[in-house]
Amino acid sequence: MVVVGAGSWGTAFACHLRDNGHDVTLAARDPEQAEEMNRTGRNPRYATQARLDGIAAATVGSARVDDAELVVVAVPSRVFGDVVARLPGDSPLLSLSKGLDPATGQRLSSLVSGRPVAVLSGPNIADEIVRGLPAAAVVASGDLELAVRLQVAVHSVLFRVYVSDDVVGVELCAAAKNVIALAAGGADGLSLGDNSKAALVARGLAEMRRLAESAGARPDTFAGLAGMGDLIVTCWSPSGRNRRAGELIARGARPDEAAAEIGMVVEGLTTAPVLRDLAHRLEIEVPITEGVCAVLEGAPLTDLVTSLMSRAPTTE
């Protein structure tokens, strides 16, 4: 198996696959990073505590992708389309990336052609996976036979995997929860309290559901791991990049400064305007997403709070 993308989640997932008995190659973009992983058995940049014993490191261009049993892609959404377009062969592809394509607004799995595709999502903080703490995820594919094969390959006593055929719902949940987490981090940064944060997250879930249902997703997906599960951990975990970025922005940082301080990709910053544009096309109200976009474009975060609290009362 080849894991393309040697960031935190790609590294953690490669370790999980190895522990499940698979032969794994971890492919990095940077040759120096790949060389260092082979030399030291550690990723020098991400998930540095993970031991890479038994995992071969390579560059994306040199990894034996064409004859791999499975290709796992864990790269930022902004480069996902380019990366998968250059992968040789027709092996099944499992996407771990969470976002939308910023160039087209499409779901990431729709950019994959010429090979079977599935997506995996859920409340999966990479650091906890590396530490061997229990977690769960959902693998979704329009090909249920593929989804079940991947479930068998990935499932373990520490990483419980469920199967779904709602690819639309799982991918849109994975994208939208990062935007809501930016707002939740903003609530933390402004010290608005647990009541307001819980209300924001609950209404964020309703916003996610409206949007994804209009795109053809199933309602039950939002009560599951890809929806509520991932939203909760992303909005509350101290390790959540998007929550942390929102907190930093609330305390005066520009979005680019927040991303630089975190030192890793903050998907919500890329996804927010793409998700807003999708909502416009579907004619769906997404006030939290609209407000997050306004803040990213320079509006005071307090204006978002005021606009949300000043909306006309309605039914739930």
Side-chain angles (χ1 to χ4, degrees):
M1 296 182 176
V2 176
V3 178
V4 178
S8 296
W9 188 207
T11 301
F13 200 76
C15 291
H16 172 69
L17 291 175
R18 174 205 58 197
D19 294 343
N20 258 21
H22 301 292
D23 292 329
V24 182
T25 297
L26 179 58
R29 181 182 61 179
D30 184 354
E32 291 184 1
Q33 184 184 8
E35 181 180 347
E36 186 74 2
M37 289 191 289
N38 280 324
R39 187 178 68 82
T40 66
R42 302 273 186 174
N43 189 328
R45 300 177 186 172
Y46 308 103
T48 55
Q49 74 277 29
R51 297 190 62 85
L52 303 182
D53 305 17
I55 297 174
T59 61
V60 175
S62 66
R64 293 292 302 275
V65 173
D66 52 342
D67 59 358
E69 177 187 358
L70 175 69
V71 180
V72 179
V73 177
V75 300
S77 60
R78 66 174 183 269
V79 300
F80 184 92
D82 288 339
V83 169
V84 299
R86 296 176 183 177
L87 294 177
D90 57 3
S91 302
L93 185 147
L94 177 62
S95 170
L96 307 186
S97 302
K98 297 182 178 182
L100 299 173
D101 179 47
T104 65
Q106 295 184 60
R107 291 180 293 105
L108 298 181
S109 70
S110 68
L111 305 178
V112 180
S113 61
R115 63 174 80 233
V117 62
V119 300
L120 183 141
S121 191
N124 304 143
I125 298 294
D127 173 66
E128 295 187 6
I129 303 298
V130 169
R131 290 159 56 200
L133 299 179
V138 58
V139 60
S141 177
D143 180 348
L144 273 180
E145 182 180 344
L146 172 63
V148 171
R149 292 207 316 268
L150 293 175
Q151 179 186 43
V152 171
V154 177
H155 184 93
S156 76
V157 294
L158 291 176
F159 195 75
R160 186 170 178 83
V161 180
Y162 294 80
V163 164
S164 171
D165 63 357
D166 185 12
V167 181
V168 174
V170 169
E171 284 195 285
L172 287 181
C173 280
K177 60 91 183 182
N178 286 327
V179 180
I180 304 304
L182 286 171
D188 288 340
L190 293 178
S191 299
L192 297 181
D194 291 334
N195 288 339
S196 64
K197 184 174 176 180
L200 176 70
V201 172
R203 296 313 304 163
L205 182 62
E207 189 167 299
M208 290 165 53
R209 179 170 178 163
R210 282 197 306 272
L211 179 66
E213 281 187 330
S214 295
R218 290 205 311 266
D220 58 329
T221 298
F222 303 90
L225 293 165
M228 184 182 298
D230 205 2
L231 181 65
I232 290 171
V233 78
T234 305
C235 290
W236 262 274
S237 171
S239 301
R241 305 174 196 176
N242 294 278
R243 188 211 62 79
R244 178 62 176 151
E247 184 178 26
L248 290 171
I249 291 168
R251 293 177 177 172
R254 298 193 312 268
D256 60 325
E257 292 173 336
E261 179 167 334
I262 291 167
M264 293 180 282
V265 173
V266 180
E267 282 286 4
L269 300 178
T270 301
T271 301
V274 184
L275 201 68
R276 175 194 59 194
D277 293 346
L278 174 61
H280 289 173
R281 292 195 299 273
L282 294 173
E283 299 182 343
I284 301 299
E285 281 195 342
V286 286
I288 298 174
T289 300
E290 295 275 7
V292 167
C293 289
V295 171
L296 296 181
E297 292 164 0
L301 183 56
T302 51
D303 287 0
L304 171 56
V305 177
T306 301
S307 66
L308 291 175
M309 294 303 291
S310 300
R311 286 171 59 83
T314 184
T315 57
E316 186 174 40

